[in-house]
Amino acid sequence: MKLVPGRKERLGDQLYGQILDQIIAGTYREGDKLPSESQICQAFQVSRPTVREALMRLHADGLVATRQGSGTFVQKRPSGHLTRLAPVSDIAGILRCMEVRMALEDRAAGLAAERRGAADLDRIERALAALRSSLEAGAVPVQADYDFHRAVATASGNALFAEMLEVLHETIHQSMTVALGITHTRSKERARRVIEEHEAIAEAIQRRDAEGASLAMRYHLHRARQRVTDGQREL
Amino acid sequence: MKLVPGRKERLGDQLYGQILDQIIAGTYREGDKLPSESQICQAFQVSRPTVREALMRLHADGLVATRQGSGTFVQKRPSGHLTRLAPVSDIAGILRCMEVRMALEDRAAGLAAERRGAADLDRIERALAALRSSLEAGAVPVQADYDFHRAVATASGNALFAEMLEVLHETIHQSMTVALGITHTRSKERARRVIEEHEAIAEAIQRRDAEGASLAMRYHLHRARQRVTDGQREL
Amino acid sequence: MKLVPGRKERLGDQLYGQILDQIIAGTYREGDKLPSESQICQAFQVSRPTVREALMRLHADGLVATRQGSGTFVQKRPSGHLTRLAPVSDIAGILRCMEVRMALEDRAAGLAAERRGAADLDRIERALAALRSSLEAGAVPVQADYDFHRAVATASGNALFAEMLEVLHETIHQSMTVALGITHTRSKERARRVIEEHEAIAEAIQRRDAEGASLAMRYHLHRARQRVTDGQREL
Amino acid sequence: MKLVPGRKERLGDQLYGQILDQIIAGTYREGDKLPSESQICQAFQVSRPTVREALMRLHADGLVATRQGSGTFVQKRPSGHLTRLAPVSDIAGILRCMEVRMALEDRAAGLAAERRGAADLDRIERALAALRSSLEAGAVPVQADYDFHRAVATASGNALFAEMLEVLHETIHQSMTVALGITHTRSKERARRVIEEHEAIAEAIQRRDAEGASLAMRYHLHRARQRVTDGQREL
């Protein structure tokens, strides 16, 4: 088994995708020990830093856990739903995108609470209403979700935040499709939580609470990321 | 005096630029009270939210301060150096760019400490060495500065961070030209500080200290921003 | 009307309490403009910094908002429930206590996720179970709430975090009595949210997610604080 | 070798102290591999969670590093200076104290920037002047250092922050004695850096820059902690 670096794709990402693939497929199940670093190096013909990077990402996603001195164990097995919603090769990209969004939107939401005008609040409320009614109707409101986050970014008063989201547009749409798709297949419970998380962001921006808005945004994106990798649980 | 909204440029930014212009020109000096919100509305024919946004930005940059109940006062007058290095109309853009960079690079530096490989450290060290020798020689090492920040973003293991920097490339170069240009015209003291700030980032990444790296990056960008708006002081 | 500084009590806090009192009493209603700084100085015979401090605190609690150039307006009127649960003179103390807790417990929760042992998880789970069953039975589980937060602080592996909570013990109990008391008088909806917030903290600690645990704790305390000052809303 | 739990002292802390002792003594040198978890369990007759906690702390202090799959290695050897300034048994306590201070003072400094009055600035400036002149004279200004941090805590407008520092008073004095003691035995370079870090905090509070003040405080405490465990380096 040999990894061939694709254009612009890091070996660590490819290896990450391959291991994730085997965890989803059930080759390694929850509680199973992964092969050692050296074994992975040999099996995939990659360097040790590449293996470490891949394991680090799996660790950051909460999929594996390292027990000091004993090795790396599978912690969580992403839902089969996930693979029906996106090819495994895209999951790494989606999680990378979430990582950048957490950095950008955390700050944008805080600034939005300080600087939003009346038109900003309107845009945010309209997107929230569309998101709410669509989720309650059992639909997958990708556009409303994107509109909400874009409206918050715009309300920051710094056009670059919205521009950055536009650059990430395609991957964000894809990750929302996956995250909301999972929500769709789950209980009403989950739809309610997704709505509440967005409401908390909107309310904090409305009452000019910068710390609260930034916190609510980070909390939402952190949970959204959990929902992508942790399909079996109700989050 | 009437503001005409340019393409993609917010009225708030334009107004920000105009007031900044008058502060730099000395129309309003340190300690002077700015006209009231209503007076500014009338003078520039803009809405109240636009005025608030512009004042908010001036406030965030530490250029004005609001004393509750008494009005808004000029706190700081950016150096004339600034206007020799960049047209006033660009300053707003530079500060907006810093705002986004603080969000992105804070997180990227933390991840770099966790995930950097040997090649990443090499790239960071080379850029740092170039930055150091160039600053000590009294030059304006814009490329080395950019290379340093790009190397840190790349070391995050998430290619999107470096891509985001590339999108901002032009404005980053411009803001580095201004910030390093100011450094250049100031004492050796300031060059030393700029070098030390970069060293602190590199060291934290080297010793895998995620909190320290993230902290050192934010500290550096926050001070760089101060240096742009606070030309008279040694920072 | 003259404020007499009590032992160890700051004038700013007293003034804060007095204005809060009048807002709760309905002397000033939502949307009403408060007297100007100078008027307050005269009415209460206090210095301008004291007035500013009191207004700053009311602002931080989201009770008033400043519109640049136009003055300070009442934003929210805390529930009458609040005054039945605690004398107004204690509210300032409770909010101060929340402020310190946000600083301490945010960090403690992050460390707990990294360092918790099996005994820590047991303690956290037991407190959570007691909190859940008590809230669902319509009771006011102050002790279980305190036990939960203490167990998290202990799980940080740094005994000083729990010691700090012990020092604040009395005020924390009081603020939990108020916050849970409000929850008790409200809908099942609110009890559910309080349970979910604690569950999110416990889950993140359990899965060794330091960022998630720290975030969930800050989110919980920020909302608990909102619940204290914002009795009318469902939070 | 058997650890006997002292009053109020956790086994993990004791074990931490013992291993730190051996690193300082040179039994394990930089680059050396520590015994495995199981070997440490046996040698000290402690449980695995106790060993993990001790290693986690050494890791957090940057003294050891874990290479996935290969074990735990000594990363840094604290200066012999350290042991001349404080018994090894106290180092764990000092580092624990720094951990709590980072949580508390970060927030206190941010609030101080928002709420400080003229008297607060005076107190901060006087403490800073005493610190500066004493350090420049080659002395060890523990009291001035403490006064500075206490003045910032007081300026937060929330008396509980200063009360928390008072509770930690003894350990803070001890850790300042160690940190400043190390500074004293090092170059003028280091004294300069310590002064600059305090100046950055004071300046941000003075210009009402909450984010900057909070950032400068965290940066300072993070570096102070580094100075304690990293005696050989110039920080």
Side-chain angles (χ1 to χ4, degrees):
Chain A
M1 199 163 4
K2 177 123 177 42
L3 292 176
V4 184
R7 201 172 48 85
K8 272 195 148 193
E9 195 177 7
R10 289 166 65 110
L11 275 172
D13 283 343
Q14 277 191 63
L15 181 55
Y16 168 92
Q18 300 243 7
I19 300 175
L20 179 56
D21 206 4
Q22 300 194 17
I23 293 173
I24 290 173
T27 314
Y28 299 104
R29 292 165 177 281
E30 282 182 42
D32 282 3
K33 187 174 170 176
L34 290 184
S36 74
E37 277 194 12
S38 338
Q39 289 170 321
I40 300 177
C41 286
Q42 283 212 304
F44 289 88
Q45 297 284 304
V46 290
S47 72
R48 198 166 273 262
T50 300
V51 174
R52 266 179 213 148
E53 190 190 319
L55 291 178
M56 190 80 78
R57 301 191 65 87
L58 290 164
H59 186 87
D61 298 336
L63 299 171
V64 306
T66 305
R67 304 198 198 129
Q68 235 161 1
S70 351
T72 301
F73 294 79
V74 176
Q75 181 98 329
K76 238 184 277 167
R77 186 177 157 199
S79 165
H81 289 302
L82 197 61
T83 46
R84 256 170 275 136
L85 291 160
V88 167
S89 63
D90 291 350
I91 306 288
I94 290 174
L95 294 171
R96 269 201 312 270
C97 177
M98 298 297 286
E99 207 161 72
V100 174
R101 286 181 64 197
M102 284 184 74
L104 281 172
E105 299 195 45
D106 170 3
R107 174 67 63 132
L111 294 171
E114 288 173 3
R115 301 180 186 161
R116 94 286 187 289
D120 292 310
L121 288 185
D122 276 0
R123 248 192 311 269
I124 292 171
E125 277 306 324
R126 271 202 309 275
L128 182 57
L131 185 75
R132 193 188 287 120
S133 65
S134 173
L135 267 175
E136 282 168 357
V140 178
V142 172
Q143 188 60 43
D145 196 356
Y146 184 76
D147 288 348
F148 180 88
H149 287 273
R150 203 181 185 296
V152 171
T154 301
S156 75
N158 182 337
L160 290 175
F161 282 106
E163 273 181 42
M164 294 292 102
L165 286 192
E166 283 299 316
V167 171
L168 298 169
H169 181 274
E170 207 176 327
T171 317
I172 292 179
H173 262 257
Q174 192 187 20
S175 69
M176 284 173 171
T177 305
V178 173
L180 293 171
I182 290 172
T183 296
H184 174 59
T185 61
R186 317 300 297 177
S187 64
K188 291 201 168 180
E189 189 65 11
R190 184 172 274 189
R192 180 185 56 70
R193 294 207 188 189
V194 171
I195 293 170
E196 281 181 11
E197 288 170 23
H198 285 88
E199 283 171 348
I201 299 166
E203 281 165 19
I205 292 174
Q206 195 277 328
R207 70 170 180 269
R208 298 203 176 281
D209 173 359
E211 184 182 12
S214 156
L215 200 45
M217 178 61 90
R218 270 178 74 197
Y219 190 70
H220 164 56
L221 291 174
H222 195 269
R223 286 179 85 87
R225 179 174 152 157
Q226 281 288 118
R227 283 189 282 265
V228 169
T229 54
D230 194 9
Q232 282 94 339
R233 302 279 305 287
E234 289 303 328
L235 279 175
Chain B
M1 200 164 3
K2 177 125 176 42
L3 292 176
V4 185
R7 206 172 43 85
K8 273 192 146 194
E9 196 179 6
R10 290 167 65 109
L11 275 171
D13 285 342
Q14 277 190 61
L15 181 56
Y16 168 93
Q18 300 241 8
I19 300 175
L20 179 55
D21 206 4
Q22 300 193 18
I23 294 173
I24 290 174
T27 313
Y28 299 103
R29 292 167 177 281
E30 282 181 44
D32 282 3
K33 186 174 170 176
L34 290 185
S36 75
E37 278 193 13
S38 339
Q39 290 171 321
I40 300 178
C41 285
Q42 284 213 305
F44 289 91
Q45 297 284 303
V46 289
S47 71
R48 199 166 272 262
T50 300
V51 175
R52 268 180 212 147
E53 190 189 320
L55 292 178
M56 191 80 77
R57 302 190 64 86
L58 290 163
H59 186 86
D61 298 335
L63 298 172
V64 306
T66 306
R67 303 196 200 132
Q68 236 159 0
S70 353
T72 302
F73 294 80
V74 175
Q75 182 98 327
K76 239 184 272 167
R77 184 176 159 200
S79 164
H81 289 303
L82 197 60
T83 45
R84 257 170 274 135
L85 290 159
V88 166
S89 62
D90 291 349
I91 305 288
I94 289 175
L95 293 171
R96 268 200 313 271
C97 177
M98 298 297 286
E99 208 162 68
V100 174
R101 286 182 63 198
M102 284 185 74
L104 282 172
E105 299 196 45
D106 170 1
R107 173 68 63 131
L111 294 171
E114 288 172 5
R115 301 180 185 161
R116 93 286 187 289
D120 292 311
L121 289 185
D122 275 1
R123 249 191 312 268
I124 292 171
E125 277 306 325
R126 272 201 309 275
L128 182 58
L131 185 76
R132 192 188 287 119
S133 65
S134 173
L135 267 175
E136 283 168 356
V140 178
V142 172
Q143 189 60 44
D145 197 355
Y146 185 76
D147 289 348
F148 179 88
H149 287 273
R150 204 182 185 296
V152 170
T154 300
S156 75
N158 183 337
L160 290 175
F161 282 106
E163 274 180 42
M164 295 292 101
L165 287 193
E166 283 299 318
V167 171
L168 299 169
H169 181 274
E170 207 175 326
T171 317
I172 293 179
H173 262 259
Q174 192 186 19
S175 69
M176 285 174 170
T177 306
V178 173
L180 293 170
I182 290 171
T183 297
H184 174 59
T185 61
R186 316 301 297 177
S187 64
K188 291 202 168 177
E189 190 65 9
R190 182 171 274 191
R192 180 186 56 71
R193 294 207 189 188
V194 171
I195 293 170
E196 281 181 10
E197 288 170 23
H198 285 89
E199 284 171 347
I201 299 165
E203 281 165 19
I205 292 173
Q206 196 276 327
R207 71 170 181 272
R208 298 202 175 282
D209 173 359
E211 184 182 11
S214 155
L215 201 46
M217 178 61 89
R218 271 179 72 198
Y219 190 71
H220 164 56
L221 291 174
H222 194 269
R223 286 180 84 86
R225 180 174 151 155
Q226 280 290 118
R227 282 189 284 264
V228 169
T229 53
D230 194 9
Q232 281 94 335
R233 302 279 304 289
E234 290 303 328
L235 280 175
Chain C
M1 201 162 3
K2 175 122 177 45
L3 291 176
V4 184
R7 202 170 48 83
K8 272 194 146 190
E9 196 178 7
R10 291 167 65 112
L11 276 171
D13 285 342
Q14 276 190 63
L15 182 55
Y16 168 92
Q18 300 242 8
I19 300 174
L20 179 55
D21 207 4
Q22 300 193 19
I23 294 173
I24 290 173
T27 313
Y28 299 104
R29 294 166 176 281
E30 283 182 43
D32 280 4
K33 186 174 171 175
L34 289 184
S36 75
E37 278 192 13
S38 340
Q39 291 171 320
I40 300 178
C41 286
Q42 283 212 304
F44 290 90
Q45 297 283 303
V46 291
S47 71
R48 197 165 273 263
T50 300
V51 175
R52 265 179 215 149
E53 191 190 317
L55 292 177
M56 191 80 76
R57 302 190 65 84
L58 289 164
H59 185 87
D61 298 336
L63 298 172
V64 307
T66 306
R67 304 198 198 128
Q68 236 160 1
S70 355
T72 301
F73 294 79
V74 176
Q75 181 97 330
K76 239 186 274 169
R77 186 177 158 199
S79 166
H81 289 301
L82 197 61
T83 46
R84 258 170 273 137
L85 290 160
V88 166
S89 63
D90 291 351
I91 306 288
I94 289 175
L95 294 171
R96 270 201 311 270
C97 177
M98 298 297 287
E99 206 162 72
V100 174
R101 286 181 64 198
M102 283 185 75
L104 281 172
E105 300 196 46
D106 169 4
R107 173 68 62 132
L111 294 171
E114 288 173 4
R115 299 178 186 163
R116 92 287 188 293
D120 292 311
L121 289 186
D122 275 1
R123 249 191 311 269
I124 292 171
E125 276 305 325
R126 271 201 310 275
L128 182 58
L131 185 75
R132 194 187 287 120
S133 65
S134 174
L135 267 175
E136 283 169 356
V140 179
V142 172
Q143 189 60 45
D145 196 356
Y146 185 76
D147 289 348
F148 179 88
H149 287 274
R150 204 182 185 296
V152 170
T154 302
S156 76
N158 182 338
L160 290 176
F161 282 106
E163 274 182 41
M164 295 292 102
L165 286 192
E166 282 300 316
V167 171
L168 299 169
H169 180 274
E170 208 176 325
T171 317
I172 292 179
H173 263 258
Q174 192 186 21
S175 70
M176 284 173 171
T177 305
V178 173
L180 293 170
I182 290 171
T183 296
H184 174 59
T185 61
R186 315 302 295 177
S187 64
K188 290 201 170 178
E189 188 65 10
R190 184 173 272 190
R192 181 185 56 70
R193 294 207 188 188
V194 170
I195 294 170
E196 281 181 12
E197 287 170 24
H198 285 89
E199 283 171 348
I201 299 166
E203 280 165 19
I205 292 174
Q206 196 274 331
R207 70 169 182 269
R208 298 202 177 282
D209 173 359
E211 184 182 13
S214 156
L215 199 45
M217 178 62 89
R218 271 179 71 196
Y219 190 70
H220 165 56
L221 291 174
H222 195 269
R223 286 179 86 84
R225 180 175 154 156
Q226 280 289 118
R227 282 188 284 263
V228 169
T229 53
D230 193 9
Q232 281 94 335
R233 302 281 304 289
E234 291 302 329
L235 278 174
Chain D
M1 199 167 0
K2 176 125 176 42
L3 292 176
V4 185
R7 203 170 47 81
K8 273 193 144 191
E9 194 177 9
R10 290 167 65 111
L11 276 171
D13 284 343
Q14 277 191 60
L15 181 56
Y16 168 91
Q18 299 242 7
I19 300 175
L20 179 56
D21 207 3
Q22 299 193 18
I23 294 173
I24 291 173
T27 313
Y28 299 103
R29 294 168 175 282
E30 281 182 42
D32 281 3
K33 186 176 172 175
L34 290 184
S36 76
E37 278 193 14
S38 339
Q39 289 170 323
I40 299 178
C41 285
Q42 283 212 306
F44 289 90
Q45 296 284 302
V46 289
S47 70
R48 197 166 274 261
T50 301
V51 175
R52 266 178 214 149
E53 190 190 319
L55 292 177
M56 192 79 77
R57 299 191 66 85
L58 290 163
H59 186 87
D61 298 334
L63 298 171
V64 305
T66 306
R67 304 196 198 133
Q68 233 159 4
S70 356
T72 302
F73 294 79
V74 175
Q75 181 97 329
K76 239 185 273 167
R77 185 176 158 200
S79 165
H81 289 302
L82 196 61
T83 47
R84 257 171 273 136
L85 291 160
V88 166
S89 62
D90 291 351
I91 306 289
I94 290 174
L95 294 171
R96 268 201 311 271
C97 177
M98 298 297 286
E99 207 161 71
V100 174
R101 286 181 63 198
M102 283 184 75
L104 282 171
E105 300 196 45
D106 169 2
R107 174 69 62 131
L111 294 171
E114 288 173 3
R115 301 179 184 162
R116 94 287 186 290
D120 292 310
L121 288 186
D122 275 1
R123 250 192 309 272
I124 292 171
E125 276 306 325
R126 273 201 309 274
L128 181 59
L131 185 76
R132 193 187 287 118
S133 66
S134 173
L135 267 174
E136 282 169 356
V140 177
V142 172
Q143 189 59 45
D145 197 355
Y146 184 77
D147 289 347
F148 179 88
H149 287 273
R150 204 182 185 297
V152 171
T154 300
S156 75
N158 182 338
L160 290 175
F161 283 107
E163 275 181 41
M164 295 291 102
L165 285 193
E166 282 300 316
V167 172
L168 298 170
H169 181 272
E170 208 176 325
T171 316
I172 293 179
H173 263 257
Q174 192 186 21
S175 70
M176 283 172 170
T177 306
V178 173
L180 293 170
I182 289 171
T183 297
H184 175 61
T185 61
R186 316 300 296 178
S187 65
K188 291 202 169 178
E189 188 67 8
R190 184 173 274 191
R192 180 185 55 71
R193 294 207 188 188
V194 171
I195 294 169
E196 281 181 11
E197 287 170 24
H198 284 90
E199 284 171 348
I201 299 165
E203 280 164 18
I205 292 173
Q206 197 275 329
R207 72 170 180 269
R208 298 202 177 282
D209 173 359
E211 183 181 14
S214 156
L215 199 47
M217 179 60 88
R218 272 178 73 196
Y219 190 71
H220 165 55
L221 291 174
H222 194 271
R223 287 180 84 88
R225 179 174 154 156
Q226 281 288 118
R227 283 188 283 263
V228 169
T229 53
D230 193 10
Q232 281 93 336
R233 303 279 305 287
E234 289 305 329
L235 278 174

